[in-house]
Amino acid sequence: MRIQVQRLDHPEVRVVIASDHCVQRFRRRRRIRTPGIEAVASELRQAFEDAELSTLAPAWVLTNRPTQMWALLADLAFPLAAGTSEGEWLATTCLVRGRY
């Protein structure tokens, strides 16, 4: 299943797509216990819709990996990698403040 959200509020980011790894991490880190993909997909879509898009990593993320774009919530950070089409970005993982 492809979990994605259209973003029309940003000049560079039109679509955010979750990688399989991102979905797995989000499920684990948000402790979503409901079986199946729909429960996690619904929460992940909402997170992508609510996220602030930024070129700056949050101060609490310790990484030496260059990342062009981030989708940020108060306690979540999704590093984004440029996709295959213009405006398409892939969320490669899900980081939670205080837990790596």
Side-chain angles (χ1 to χ4, degrees), residues 6-73:
Q6 298 276 8
R7 292 292 302 245
L8 303 176
D9 60 336
H10 195 276
E12 295 176 61
V13 181
R14 295 288 176 225
V15 177
V16 177
I17 302 167
S19 69
D20 290 342
H21 177 78
C22 178
V23 173
Q24 292 169 359
R25 292 288 184 182
F26 183 79
R27 177 187 285 280
R28 222 175 278 139
R29 291 181 171 164
R30 281 294 205 198
R31 296 185 175 115
I32 300 170
R33 306 254 189 256
T34 307
I37 193 68
E38 276 310 312
V40 70
S42 176
E43 286 195 40
L44 190 53
R45 281 189 194 104
Q46 189 63 54
F48 285 160
E49 288 174 4
D50 295 343
E52 175 187 341
L53 301 169
S54 176
T55 57
L56 301 174
W60 55 266
V61 171
L62 304 174
T63 182
N64 60 356
R65 297 170 71 190
T67 300
Q68 294 175 299
M69 189 69 68
W70 292 83
L72 305 171
L73 294 162

